[in-house]
Amino acid sequence: GLLVTACGLLRHRPGGGGAFWVDSQQKRYVPVKGDHVIGIVTAKAGDVFRLDVGGSEPASLSYLAFEGATKRNRPNVQVGDLIYGQFVVANKDMEPEMVCIDSSGKSSGMGIIGQDGFLFKVSLGLIRKLLAPKCEIIQELSQLYPFELVIGMNGRIWVKAKTIQQTLIIVNILEACEYMTAEQRKQALAKLSGN
Amino acid sequence: FMQRGLDSQTKKQLEEEEKKIISEEHWYLDVPDLKEKESCIIEERSFLRCEDLVYGRMSFKGFNPEIEKLMIQMNSKYKEEEIEEDDKMEADVSDEEMARRYETLVGTIGKKFLRKRDQRVLKDDDEDKEDEVEEGNNTRPSKRAKKMFLKPQD
């Protein structure tokens, strides 16, 4: 039989084989295979980088797991860099491992995240809301000004806009979105675009 | 234990003895075999499969054009998989030309695999010249009546 161990809303998706899951609110991330996350490089140990992904253990990332990396052609990764990658091994018995290429060997957007920008942490529920297919928050924000956004399933979001002020505005909206209703959000955005 | 030069018979006897010993020591349940229930439940830990989550890297208003291209690519993978399968690649050669070529192609390659006799026959059909006749005058009538056997004239 099945036992529920988390509290939350039970959701159902009829398509495919039919799936049920419990939509619960969490701040702490548990590494799961196939998830795309943002990691911070904490150490270089020989051929492998140690990344902090917000889980119980640091994840490991081999330097060969980048697109076009060979033994002679090493990726230029320093301690403190941000990396967007996916988990290839993630269970409770082993240390999680990440790679920055997908199954066909292409990087498809993964790898080192560039300079500047701002990294902050939100709860996992908000991440799921933001990554939903038609997310109003993102659509409304995209009308404001050009910016770039990377969302990691471990609760971390990285934002970069043209000026520091714009970046901070986006950060504040995203953080506040968790507790604002749709109307409050629209009001706040209307004020901003008025400015 | 494994002794060389043992006859196959003695080997078999030894094996049987071992098996007997082992099976007596093995505990087994007297309970009748339960049918293995195929569990219809698959446990999935990632949210990615449950909800159609969009790709995590995004760019808006042309901030990072590469990522915008990527967004279109990734998101179209999700939604338009079915449509892409139906679309055929635009063919370089039209269907009619293909059919024409194929017709003649079959003929030319078919000729390659004919037996020698038939090949000679074909050649003579195409050209009016006579080939080198190796078997004497008897072959000429046999050329025209291709597969009939003609008695050699005395």
Side-chain angles (χ1 to χ4, degrees), chain A residues 6-9 22-28 122-129 178-179, chain B residues 47:
Chain A
C7 60
L9 294 170
V22 176
D23 195 357
S24 64
Q25 186 64 294
Q26 258 183 314
K27 280 189 172 188
R28 182 101 189 152
V122 289
S123 73
L124 306 187
L126 183 63
I127 300 280
R128 264 180 283 130
K129 249 197 264 178
E178 188 154 7
Y179 301 112
Chain B
F47 275 111

Side-chain angles (χ1 to χ4, degrees), chain A residues 77-110:
Chain A
V77 175
Q78 308 300 325
V79 173
D81 274 354
L82 293 177
I83 302 226
Y84 188 61
Q86 65 178 349
F87 283 112
V88 113
V89 168
N91 48 30
K92 60 183 166 85
D93 305 314
M94 288 167 52
E95 181 193 51
E97 290 177 24
M98 279 178 57
V99 288
C100 286
I101 51 173
D102 63 11
S103 47
S104 59
K106 292 193 200 158
S107 71
S108 62
M110 296 190 270

Side-chain angles (χ1 to χ4, degrees), chain A residues 13 108-109 131 147 149 151, chain B residues 49 54-58 60:
Chain A
R13 187 194 57 176
S108 62
L131 286 177
F147 67 97
L149 181 66
I151 301 183
Chain B
R49 297 264 171 218
V54 157
Y55 191 62
R57 212 156 173 181
M58 312 179 205
F60 300 105

Side-chain angles (χ1 to χ4, degrees), chain B residues 81-136:
Chain B
E81 258 175 350
E82 295 168 9
I83 303 178
E84 270 176 23
E85 281 173 13
D86 290 337
D87 273 348
K88 280 187 249 171
M89 292 267 291
E90 276 183 16
D92 289 334
V93 184
S94 77
D95 288 343
E96 286 175 354
E97 235 195 276
M98 192 68 193
R100 248 183 283 144
R101 286 277 175 88
Y102 212 66
E103 239 180 317
T104 52
L105 193 74
V106 167
T108 44
I109 298 210
K111 272 194 220 167
K112 193 175 158 189
F113 292 106
L114 285 177
R115 288 173 298 150
K116 234 184 184 176
R117 273 196 198 163
D118 295 339
Q119 272 182 2
R120 217 181 295 142
V121 168
L122 266 180
K123 244 198 225 171
D124 290 338
D125 282 345
D126 289 343
E127 308 163 0
D128 284 332
K129 290 183 224 164
E130 283 178 350
D131 262 346
E132 293 167 345
V133 180
E134 291 170 9
E135 295 169 11

Side-chain angles (χ1 to χ4, degrees), chain A residues 57-159:
Chain A
E57 287 182 332
S60 69
L61 170 63
S62 159
Y63 74 96
L64 288 172
F66 290 85
E67 184 176 11
T70 57
K71 286 193 182 172
R72 303 250 175 110
N73 181 18
R74 290 173 179 239
N76 186 15
V77 175
Q78 308 300 325
V79 173
D81 274 354
L82 293 177
I83 302 226
Y84 188 61
Q86 65 178 349
F87 283 112
V88 113
V89 168
N91 48 30
K92 60 183 166 85
D93 305 314
M94 288 167 52
E95 181 193 51
E97 290 177 24
M98 279 178 57
V99 288
C100 286
I101 51 173
D102 63 11
S103 47
S104 59
K106 292 193 200 158
S107 71
S108 62
M110 296 190 270
I112 309 176
I113 299 179
Q115 299 291 316
D116 310 329
F118 190 85
L119 179 77
F120 61 103
K121 194 159 167 16
V122 289
S123 73
L124 306 187
L126 183 63
I127 300 280
R128 264 180 283 130
K129 249 197 264 178
L130 289 173
L131 286 177
K134 288 183 187 171
C135 176
E136 291 177 355
I137 309 176
I138 301 237
Q139 284 175 354
E140 287 168 19
L141 273 181
S142 64
Q143 308 295 325
L144 276 184
Y145 24 68
F147 67 97
E148 195 189 335
L149 181 66
V150 179
I151 301 183
M153 299 282 290
N154 52 347
R156 293 188 184 161
I157 305 185
W158 179 84
V159 180

Side-chain angles (χ1 to χ4, degrees), chain B residues 9-137:
Chain B
Q9 275 185 357
T10 43
K11 266 191 202 170
K12 277 185 200 169
Q13 278 178 12
L14 273 178
E15 281 178 21
E16 280 173 38
E17 284 175 16
E18 281 179 33
K19 272 190 200 169
K20 277 188 208 163
I21 299 172
I22 293 174
S23 62
E24 279 171 9
E25 288 179 349
H26 271 175
W27 292 48
Y28 56 92
L29 293 170
D30 273 339
V31 176
D33 285 334
L34 289 172
K35 281 187 214 163
E36 277 189 16
K37 281 189 202 164
E38 274 185 28
S39 61
C40 312
I41 305 172
I42 304 174
E43 189 194 332
E44 182 70 50
R45 307 200 61 192
S46 141
F47 275 111
L48 213 66
R49 297 264 171 218
C50 301
E51 320 171 1
D52 278 331
L53 294 181
V54 157
Y55 191 62
R57 212 156 173 181
M58 312 179 205
S59 151
F60 300 105
K61 294 213 173 179
F63 200 75
N64 195 334
E66 290 173 8
I67 296 193
E68 299 208 348
K69 272 188 233 165
L70 207 78
M71 276 172 73
I72 300 175
Q73 209 187 348
M74 288 280 171
N75 297 338
S76 69
K77 245 195 250 177
Y78 266 124
K79 290 173 198 171
E80 297 183 15
E81 258 175 350
E82 295 168 9
I83 303 178
E84 270 176 23
E85 281 173 13
D86 290 337
D87 273 348
K88 280 187 249 171
M89 292 267 291
E90 276 183 16
D92 289 334
V93 184
S94 77
D95 288 343
E96 286 175 354
E97 235 195 276
M98 192 68 193
R100 248 183 283 144
R101 286 277 175 88
Y102 212 66
E103 239 180 317
T104 52
L105 193 74
V106 167
T108 44
I109 298 210
K111 272 194 220 167
K112 193 175 158 189
F113 292 106
L114 285 177
R115 288 173 298 150
K116 234 184 184 176
R117 273 196 198 163
D118 295 339
Q119 272 182 2
R120 217 181 295 142
V121 168
L122 266 180
K123 244 198 225 171
D124 290 338
D125 282 345
D126 289 343
E127 308 163 0
D128 284 332
K129 290 183 224 164
E130 283 178 350
D131 262 346
E132 293 167 345
V133 180
E134 291 170 9
E135 295 169 11
N137 293 334

